[in-house]
Amino acid sequence: MLNKFGPSGSGEAQVQYLDGDFRVISPGTYVRCAVTGVQIPLDELKYWSVDLKEAYATPIAVLQRHYPEAAKPLI
C-alpha cells in the first residue's frame, strides 16, 4: 500500500488484489464496491476477491456477489 504520508492522488485508485493484501497500481483515495457502487476508502478496504479482481464494501456485499440466491437484497 502507498505511504499514508506520501502523495496518494485523488479519485479512484487502481488496485491489484492479492491473497491477504492489495497493491495500489494507480494512486487514489478509494475503490468502488463491485456490488453497491459505494466508494470504499483504501484505508477501510477489508473485503475483496482475488479471482474476480473486485472490492466489496461489506460482508453482505460479498455474499450477494458469490451467493446471489442466498443473500438478502441491500435495498
Side-chain angles (χ1 to χ4, degrees):
M1 192 148 98
L2 293 177
N3 183 338
K4 286 186 177 187
F5 302 106
S8 61
S10 62
E12 191 166 358
Q14 297 296 325
V15 176
Q16 178 184 13
Y17 300 103
L18 308 169
D19 289 326
D21 200 7
F22 60 89
R23 179 177 298 136
V24 177
I25 304 300
S26 177
T29 56
Y30 67 89
V31 293
R32 289 202 181 272
C33 176
V35 175
T36 65
V38 69
Q39 293 180 5
I40 309 165
L42 287 180
D43 60 349
E44 295 178 19
L45 179 59
K46 298 177 188 172
Y47 312 104
W48 61 83
S49 170
V50 174
D51 295 332
L52 299 177
K53 299 177 175 96
E54 56 189 23
Y56 310 108
T58 65
I60 293 173
V62 174
L63 288 174
Q64 281 190 301
R65 175 61 86 208
H66 293 282
Y67 305 101
E69 67 285 346
K72 295 180 181 177
L74 291 175
I75 300 173

